């Protein structure tokens, strides 16, 4: 079994969570395995090698991925947080959820024209990733790519988030 197939095999499946009929895919076991995590981080950033100045991670698992990716690439990291978690947010974007809205924020650490690689764990409906792309633009930087560990194809996230590099799909 190659390293990527092994990493994918670590994604745990939980039927009927959080509600009946849903098959929840948990990347926590993958994140807990050093070899699998290293393999997935390399696969996340490889298509964008040399094209980004900073890696942005979306709360919360996106922080873990972005921190590792930034260290591996020798660049900095931008935290994209849920509203109310930053003492001085420089920008905020609200987006629609199935029932209501959510807001994400970022600190003012980006430089004008900086090239940003956005990372998150899962692409589902695409709202959070699209909001993060908008947030980066508000801060005067540009998104050179968006990447996720796992894309849930049936939820149509690309229709909202655009082109996304997914290491695995389900």
């Amino acid at each position: 079994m190659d390293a990527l197939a092994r990493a994918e095999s670590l994604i745990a499946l939980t039927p009927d969570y959080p509600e009946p009929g849903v098959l929840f895919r948990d990347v926590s076991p993958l994140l807990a395995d050093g070899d699998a995590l290293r393999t997935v981080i390399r696969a996340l950033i490889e298509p964008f090698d040399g094209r980004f100045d900073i890696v942005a991670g979306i709360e919360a698992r996106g922080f873990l991925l972005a921190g590792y990716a930034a260290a591996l690439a020798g660049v900095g990291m931008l935290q994209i947080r849920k509203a109310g978690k930053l003492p001085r947010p420089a920008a905020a974007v609200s987006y629609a959820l199935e029932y209501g809205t959510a807001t994400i924020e970022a600190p003012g650490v980006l430089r004008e024209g900086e090239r940003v690689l956005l990372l998150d764990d899962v692409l589902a409906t695409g709202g959070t990733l699209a909001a993060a792309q908008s947030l980066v633009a508000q801060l005067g930087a540009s998104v050179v790519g968006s990447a996720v560990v796992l894309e849930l194809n049936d939820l149509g996230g690309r229709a909202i988030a655009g082109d996304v590099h997914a290491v695995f799909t389900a």
Side-chain angles (χ1 to χ4, degrees), residues 1-142:
M1 178 183 296
D2 78 350
L4 269 177
R6 182 183 167 285
E8 184 175 25
S9 75
L10 295 174
I11 298 172
L13 304 177
T14 305
D16 298 320
Y17 182 81
E19 59 186 53
V22 173
L23 179 60
F24 186 81
R25 289 169 172 83
D26 183 9
V27 300
S28 297
L30 184 157
L31 297 175
D33 183 289
D35 289 336
L37 179 59
R38 182 175 33 261
T39 296
V40 167
I41 294 297
R42 287 182 177 145
L44 277 171
I45 66 175
E46 187 274 331
F48 310 100
D49 275 347
R51 296 183 20 224
F52 58 92
D53 305 308
I54 191 166
V55 180
I58 301 169
E59 190 168 345
R61 287 186 198 101
F63 289 173
L64 304 172
L65 302 168
Y68 194 142
L72 192 62
V75 299
M77 186 206 151
L78 170 70
Q79 302 168 49
I80 297 179
R81 305 288 317 260
K82 294 176 183 170
K85 303 284 186 174
L86 293 171
R88 294 175 292 133
V93 172
S94 294
Y95 59 102
L97 298 172
E98 188 174 353
Y99 300 103
T101 61
T103 301
I104 55 174
E105 301 173 334
V109 297
L110 292 178
R111 293 182 306 268
E112 185 75 26
E114 201 159 24
R115 302 171 303 165
V116 179
L117 174 60
L118 278 173
L119 298 184
D120 205 1
D121 61 336
V122 175
L123 173 62
T125 60
T128 305
L129 200 53
Q133 293 163 349
S134 178
L135 189 65
V136 167
Q138 271 189 38
L139 293 167
S142 62

Side-chain angles (χ1 to χ4, degrees), residues 153-168:
N153 288 328
D154 291 346
L155 297 179
R158 285 177 189 260
I160 303 294
D163 187 32
V164 177
H165 169 61
V167 178
F168 307 117

